[in-house]
Amino acid sequence: MSAPFRIAPSILSADFSRLGEEVRAVVDAGAEWIHFDVMDNHYVPNLTIGPLVCEAIRPHIQAPIDVHLMVEPVDSLVPMFAKAGANIITFHPEASRHVDRTLAMIRDHGCQAGLVFNPATPLDYMAHVMDKLDVVLLMSVNPGFGGQSFIPETLNKLKAARARIDAWKEQTGKTILLEIDGGVKVDNIGAIAAAGADTFVAGSAIFGSKDYKGTIAAMKRAVEAAQAKRG
Ligand code: DX5
Ligand code: ZN
């Protein structure tokens, strides 16, 4: 059974010289997932971390590692991340020539699969692959950097994605998680939850705060209040 919602700190804003300690600290502070941003300086204008780093943090935590691939091409990295201990692998549909094949490949390697939608990418990419999706991730900033501001139009997009996912659940009984990534803070996470997100990535808001536990707890209170209102 999955919890009603998940907080997924993005290690992009962690202290990379102490990564093992940092992931343990946020999990101890109440985080459900660890969000792992992979950037290739090709699909996005920044360069971060790969499977070696995933493998290095894997023994430090039991929590699922949520690998967000901002790379092009995608396919060759899927088996490498699966082997390195990833639990969830998401990618941008524009970065794969064969979206259906890449989704199937992720599941074949024992991971949960998801598509990531940039702010201007229409949700239509999900239409014919719903049966291969475990997660839909909406970007609320343009990918490439932490610390950017939440793009408000994403709230409308979240509502539209929520409606598609709920209709799919109604039809098939299957759950698809709805994740949000970019500019998530204590003061806007309630509105984001009210729009339908159930999985919340937050980088700078958590790792930039002095008190991880206090920040994550404040986020959870805001999400719980919003979800109680949604019913
Ligand atoms: C941006 C990344 C995000 C980023 C979020 O391309 O995908 O995961 O780390 O950082 P904040 O929460 O600081 O916007
Ligand atoms: Zn991300």
Side-chain angles (χ1 to χ4, degrees), residues 194 223-231:
V223 173
E224 275 158 10
Q227 287 190 338
K229 260 196 214 156
R230 284 187 99 232

Side-chain angles (χ1 to χ4, degrees), residues 46-190:
N46 199 357
L47 184 63
T48 60
I49 46 181
L52 277 177
V53 176
C54 185
E55 197 179 344
I57 62 168
R58 180 69 283 178
H60 288 268
I61 42 157
Q62 302 258 304
I65 299 179
D66 170 34
V67 172
H68 173 192
L69 294 178
M70 288 160 275
V71 303
E72 185 180 4
V74 179
D75 291 3
S76 58
L77 283 177
V78 167
M80 293 169 83
F81 272 104
K83 196 160 171 257
N87 301 90
I88 302 103
I89 300 180
T90 63
F91 65 97
H92 292 247
E94 301 93 334
S96 169
R97 288 269 174 92
H98 306 287
V99 170
D100 179 277
R101 177 188 287 153
T102 306
L103 287 168
M105 182 191 278
I106 294 170
R107 283 194 173 166
D108 285 349
H109 283 82
C111 297
Q112 292 190 292
L115 286 182
V116 190
F117 294 81
N118 284 332
T121 303
L123 292 174
D124 296 344
Y125 273 106
M126 74 169 87
H128 302 288
V129 291
M130 293 296 277
D131 60 328
K132 293 195 172 74
L133 293 176
D134 299 297
V135 186
V136 163
L137 171 50
L138 300 195
M139 293 304 301
S140 35
V141 298
N142 286 290
F145 303 95
Q148 304 179 79
S149 300
F150 186 88
I151 297 172
E153 167 59 19
T154 318
L155 293 176
N156 293 324
K157 201 174 179 185
L158 272 172
K159 288 180 198 151
R162 180 82 263 160
R164 288 186 186 228
I165 287 171
D166 286 351
W168 176 250
K169 173 131 195 188
E170 186 96 338
Q171 259 175 46
T172 64
K174 290 188 182 146
T175 301
I176 298 174
L177 300 180
L178 181 53
E179 186 174 15
I180 186 83
D181 184 6
V184 176
K185 312 278 173 207
V186 171
D187 64 8
N188 64 8
I189 197 168

Side-chain angles (χ1 to χ4, degrees), residues 10 12 35 37 39 68 70 139 143-148 181-183 201-204:
S10 162
L12 193 58
H35 186 78
D37 286 306
M39 304 185 187
H68 173 192
M70 288 160 275
M139 293 304 301
F145 303 95
Q148 304 179 79
D181 184 6
V201 176
S204 50

